[in-house]
Each structure stands twice: as C-alpha cells, then as structure tokens.
C-alpha cells in the first residue's frame, strides 16, 4: 500500500517513471486519461500505426494539445511532454525509457515487441492478453532471465483474479475456483461480426457505432475472450482448466460459492482448483439478478472448522453447507487502473500477475461447418471461437492455438464445434509467432508429435 508514496517521492526528485506505450485503442486510451494525472509518471512516447489518430485520442481524453507536440523522444525527456510516433522500436530502443506498455491486441505483434523490449532491458506490461495466452510463459521466463519484469495488466480481469488467488493462498485458504462474470448463452458461440449487433442491441443502447470494432466486441460475446483470460489466470496461478473448458453457469454474486464448487459438493465444477466464468443470464434469456458480469471472484474453503464458522459469521458469502465462501469484486476499471502495474514493475520489480507454467491453452473451434480452402479470420471473426483447453490435451491432440488461427487456409472440412488442429491448416512454420509458440511448447510442455508437426 505504498506505491502512491513511492511515486510521490519520484515526482519530488524529478525522476518520474518513464513510459513508452504502444497502441492507443480503448484500453490504451483509458490509461492515457489517467497517466497525465499521476504524479511520478511521464508518458515519454506513444506509438501507434496511425499517429494522428493517437493524437486525437490524447486530445479526446483531455490532454492539452501543447503537451503532445514533442518533436522527438529526446525533446519529450527535456520538456516533460509526449512524443507521438508510428515507430514502436524507437520507444523500445531508447535507453531512458523504463517500461513498455504493449497494448496492440495483435498476438504476433505483441510477441515481437515484447521480446525486443526485454532484449533492450525494458520492463513489459502486457495488456495484449492474446499474446500472453499464446506464448506468455516463454516471454515471462525470457524477461526473468534478462532481469526485467513481465506483467499482466492490472485493471484487466486476469490480473485482478490473480490477486484474489494470491490473497486466498496468503491467508491459508484453499482456492476452489476463480474467475469472472460475463454475458453468455450457448448460441453466442456462433456469433459473427455481422450478427453481433443483434446480441448487443438486446441489452446495450449503443447510439454511435462509429468507434465500435464489431470483431473485437464479438470476441467478448462468442466466449473467446473468456477462454483467453482464464488461460492467462491458469498459467499465472497454477489453477487448471476443466476438461471441457468453461461451463458458464448462471450465478448471482451471492450464489458464486454455491455454484462454483465441485459437483461432488452440489456445485457445477468438475473438480476444485479450476477457473470458471459465470453467466449474467439464465439459459432461457432472463437476466440473473445481482450478476457479476463485469466483476471477478474467488471461491475458497479451509481445513479449519473455526475458519468456516467465521466465514458464516462475517458473511463471506457462504454456500448452503458452510464449507465454501466467496470474495468478489463487482467491477473492473480496465485501463484506468493500469498505473498499478506500471508502478509495481518499476518501483517494486514485481509483476501484477505473470505466467509461471503452461496449464491452459485456447484452441480454435469451428463456429459452423467449415470447408477445405476457407481462410480462417481469427479472434472474433466468423469462422472460429477460442475454447479453453487443458494444455496437455492441446499438445497431445495437436490443436491449433487461437492466436495462430488468422489468415491460414483449411486443408480439410471441419464440423461445427470441432477443435481445429495444426495439421488442418497450411501454416508458415518459419513465421515468428509460430516459432516462438513451438519454443514455448518445447520448454513448458510435451512437444507435439506426428500429427501436429506434419
């Protein structure tokens, strides 16, 4: 609880944390709105493929125009202003920048930029959870070997869930389940960027669609983002996926301990020690009251009967048996909270969540019957969604990671609901993201055999 004091000391000493950010999308813009107001932080450079759009984003979140007109990074250091550029490598290679925020959202790009940042001695805050799900364990290990921090992004749900898990274990509790809420119906797995508005309009009143990326929104609707985020949680905490992935059981925030416990105890889970995402709607489409759609949770138990009694006495949202209790956070503030990760990485040399193993994967799964010759269009598209899968199963069966299911052509017909394999697509074995992924598999799991390598 001392990060703000440490930042204040940095500000007083005129030695702010010097930040380079890549990407000015929604998450990135939310951080931009707060970093301007945070003592002890200086956004030296912002890189985006469209610099003028990035400047517009800065102005749109109330940056004075004269604050974003630094002619170069060196000028930004001298004046305290911010330089806007399309050259991400200029930020990464500049010796005075302390930390890189990777917020592009593209897994291949994220992996490349992260590795470059690590090689140049920069801490990395990985907003790009897609890249983390694809190769995070390897990236985190490379960062540790280089003496820098690789961190999940505070404000995004995976980092907040990791904090719940850490809290529970630090207090001596057994973690039964951890996860978040979302809006889910089984039919959402077939959602496409063209049909997603039918779903969004049923519960959101979005008047201006001009700034909405339907493919990005669709990845939240079709179950993909949940699989990606829970994979990040598993790989950072040691929790594991359930054998068939997420079940999305409906539950209010007050029912989480009753629902997210093992079936053997009257719940919905395959076993204890897993991730799960609760739905804010019942299967008949009715809204769940007091749902957790924007929040996070952890369900715990204890070998101590006294602790269980206390969970009841202090209303730790116990289940009917009193054996399980829950802690939840009702919402998350996304990029508005990202400064916690930036400060923690630089001032404490500590991540706000970081992958330590390869327990979970996200596998490309057909939304409809697909034909040989079709080109897959990746996350949030019309062809596939991302299903959380145990990493050992993914490796053994040669499943294709969702992060590599973009702009690759199918070799054979695929049935609706079938998970796609490496052997089912024509992939570039020499592509950087593919090579990094293969290296990660070899380091953290059993390498794919015949079918996957063919």
């Amino acid at each position: 609880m001392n990060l703000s004091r440490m930042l204040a000391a940095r500000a007083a000493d005129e030695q702010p944390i010097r930040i380079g950010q890549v990407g000015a999308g929604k998450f990135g813009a939310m951080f931009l709105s707060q970093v301007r107001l945070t003592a002890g932080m200086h956004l030296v450079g912002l890189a985006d493929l469209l610099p003028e759009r990035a400047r517009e984003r800065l102005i749109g979140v109330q940056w004075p125009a004269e604050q974003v007109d630094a002619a170069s990074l060196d000028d930004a250091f001298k004046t305290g202003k911010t330089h806007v550029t399309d050259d991400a490598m200029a930020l990464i290679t500049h010796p005075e920048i302390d930390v890189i925020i990777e917020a592009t959202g593209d897994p291949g790009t994220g992996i490349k930029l992260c590795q470059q940042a690590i090689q140049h001695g920069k801490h990395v805050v990985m907003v790009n959870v897609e890249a983390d799900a694809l190769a995070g364990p390897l990236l985190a290990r490379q960062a540790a070997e280089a003496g820098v921090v690789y961190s999940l992004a505070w404000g995004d749900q995976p980092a907040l869930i990791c904090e719940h898990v850490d809290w529970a274990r630090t207090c001596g509790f057994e973690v039964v389940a951890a996860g978040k809420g979302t809006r889910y119906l089984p039919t959402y797995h077939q959602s496409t960027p063209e049909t997603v508005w039918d779903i969004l309009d049923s519960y959101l009143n979005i008047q201006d669609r001009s700034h909405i990326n339907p493919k990005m929104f669709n990845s939240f609707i079709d179950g993909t983002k949940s699989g990606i985020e829970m994979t990040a949680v598993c790989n950072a905490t040691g929790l594991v996926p359930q054998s068939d992935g997420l079940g999305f059981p409906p539950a209010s925030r007050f029912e989480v301990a009753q629902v997210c416990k093992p079936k053997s105890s009257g719940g919905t889970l395959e076993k204890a020690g897993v991730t799960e995402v609760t739905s804010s709607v019942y299967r008949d489409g009715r809204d769940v009251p007091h749902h957790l759609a924007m929040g996070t949770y952890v369900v715990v138990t204890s070998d101590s009967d006294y602790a269980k009694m206390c969970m009841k006495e202090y209303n730790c949202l116990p289940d009917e048996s009193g054996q399980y209790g829950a802690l939840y956070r009702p919402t998350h503030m996304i990029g508005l909270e990202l400064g916690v990760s930036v400060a923690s990485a630089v001032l404490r040399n500590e991540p706000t969540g970081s992958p330590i193993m390869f327990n979970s994967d996200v596998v490309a799964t057909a939304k409809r019957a697909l034909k040989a010759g079709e080109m897959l269009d990746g996350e949030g598209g019309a062809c596939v969604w991302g299903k959380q899968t145990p990493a050992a199963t993914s490796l053994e069966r040669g499943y294709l990671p969702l992060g590599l299911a973009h702009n690759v052509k199918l070799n054979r017909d695929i049935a609706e609901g079938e998970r796609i394999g490496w052997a089912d697509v024509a992939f570039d074995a020499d592509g950087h993201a593919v090579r990094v992924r293969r290296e990660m598999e070899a380091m953290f799991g059993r390498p794919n055999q015949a079918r996957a390598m063919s």
Side-chain angles (χ1 to χ4, degrees):
M1 298 182 210
N2 61 355
L3 285 176
S4 63
R5 292 200 302 271
M6 296 170 76
L7 285 170
R10 281 290 197 109
D13 293 340
E14 298 185 350
Q15 292 293 325
I17 296 173
R18 291 162 168 172
I19 304 163
Q21 178 173 322
V22 184
K26 177 64 173 177
F27 197 116
M30 294 178 80
F31 176 67
L32 295 175
S33 75
Q34 291 303 109
V35 67
R36 179 179 67 87
L37 306 173
T38 306
M41 290 190 182
H42 175 200
L43 181 71
V44 177
L46 173 63
D48 193 88
L49 292 175
L50 300 172
E52 286 307 314
R53 182 186 66 178
R55 286 191 185 88
E56 291 174 4
R57 292 276 167 85
L58 286 162
I59 302 302
V61 295
Q62 298 179 289
W63 281 61
E66 63 272 15
Q67 186 65 27
V68 300
D69 64 0
S72 65
L73 291 174
D74 288 336
D75 183 41
F77 280 111
K78 293 176 183 177
T79 62
K81 296 182 179 183
T82 297
H83 176 58
V84 182
T85 178
D86 60 1
D87 186 1
M89 286 304 299
L91 276 60
I92 289 170
T93 58
H94 199 290
E96 299 300 323
I97 287 180
D98 300 309
V99 57
I100 296 294
I101 297 171
E102 208 299 325
T104 66
D106 177 75
T109 299
I111 289 170
K112 284 183 180 180
L113 294 180
C114 178
Q115 289 184 316
Q116 287 292 330
I118 290 168
Q119 290 172 18
H120 285 86
K122 304 290 189 286
H123 301 301
V124 177
V125 176
M126 183 59 87
V127 174
N128 189 340
V129 70
E130 289 81 2
D132 183 81
L134 184 61
L138 177 64
L139 300 176
R141 178 157 308 175
Q142 290 175 341
E145 291 172 348
V148 296
V149 170
Y150 171 97
S151 179
L152 299 180
W154 189 263
D156 216 358
Q157 286 164 306
L160 303 181
I161 297 166
C162 289
E163 193 274 339
H164 289 331
V165 172
D166 188 60
W167 162 85
R169 290 171 173 164
T170 302
C171 296
F173 292 114
E174 176 191 350
V175 176
V176 176
K180 67 169 195 169
T182 195
R183 187 177 180 89
Y184 170 86
L185 288 171
T187 54
Y188 287 4
H189 291 313
Q190 285 77 50
S191 178
T192 72
E194 286 69 40
T195 65
V196 70
W197 291 110
D198 297 334
I199 298 172
L200 293 176
D201 288 343
S202 69
Y203 69 97
L204 291 179
N205 184 24
I206 301 176
Q207 298 296 325
D208 181 10
R209 298 183 179 183
S210 62
H211 294 292
I212 299 296
N213 179 341
K215 191 175 181 185
M216 182 273 290
F217 259 70
N218 194 47
S219 72
F220 286 91
I221 294 296
D222 68 10
T224 295
K225 191 67 75 171
S226 290
I228 289 172
E229 292 184 336
M230 293 309 99
T231 284
V233 171
C234 284
N235 292 342
T237 64
L239 297 177
V240 298
Q242 298 174 83
S243 297
D244 197 37
L246 299 168
F248 300 97
S252 76
R253 62 189 68 180
F254 308 119
E255 298 171 324
V256 169
Q258 180 66 29
V259 172
C260 295
K261 63 181 180 179
K263 292 177 182 177
S264 59
S265 296
T268 63
L269 304 181
E270 174 186 55
K271 57 187 176 184
V274 301
T275 49
E276 183 58 280
V277 173
T278 62
S279 177
S280 65
V281 291
Y282 295 110
R283 294 300 192 254
D284 62 7
R286 291 178 298 119
D287 287 337
V288 174
H290 309 294
H291 59 73
L292 202 58
M294 295 294 287
T296 56
Y297 77 88
V298 63
V299 174
V300 301
T301 190
S302 173
D303 285 340
S304 167
D305 290 336
Y306 180 76
K308 292 173 184 173
M309 181 183 70
C310 290
M311 286 196 292
K312 284 186 177 181
E313 290 178 342
Y314 290 90
N315 195 29
C316 189
L317 303 181
D319 73 323
E320 293 174 353
S321 72
Q323 301 296 304
Y324 303 90
L327 179 81
Y328 74 89
R329 176 175 169 162
T331 190
H332 65 297
M333 298 177 70
I334 318 175
L336 300 181
E337 301 182 76
L338 186 61
V340 174
S341 290
V342 173
S344 182
V346 178
L347 302 179
R348 290 180 177 156
N349 206 43
E350 182 177 80
T352 52
S354 188
I356 56 175
M357 58 186 61
F358 183 40
N359 278 355
S360 181
D361 201 5
V362 189
V363 173
T365 305
K367 289 186 172 183
R368 55 177 172 79
L370 301 171
K371 296 294 185 182
E374 283 197 65
M375 190 74 74
L376 300 183
D377 55 357
E379 179 185 355
C383 297
V384 296
W385 64 280
K387 185 179 180 67
Q388 188 188 24
T389 302
T393 302
S394 178
L395 294 177
E396 180 182 355
R397 300 182 184 178
Y399 289 145
L400 180 69
L402 178 78
L404 299 176
H406 183 70
N407 286 337
V408 291
K409 186 179 292 186
L410 284 173
N411 294 331
R412 68 175 182 91
D413 294 351
I414 303 290
E416 179 179 332
E418 184 179 353
R419 279 176 273 200
I420 297 170
W422 287 88
D424 299 327
V425 299
F427 64 91
D428 178 8
D430 293 323
H432 183 74
V434 171
R435 287 189 285 108
V436 170
R437 168 65 186 211
R438 291 303 204 193
E439 184 180 354
M440 192 272 288
E441 292 177 351
M443 182 176 293
F444 288 90
R446 189 171 53 205
N448 293 344
Q449 299 301 321
R451 195 171 85 87
M453 296 298 291
S454 59

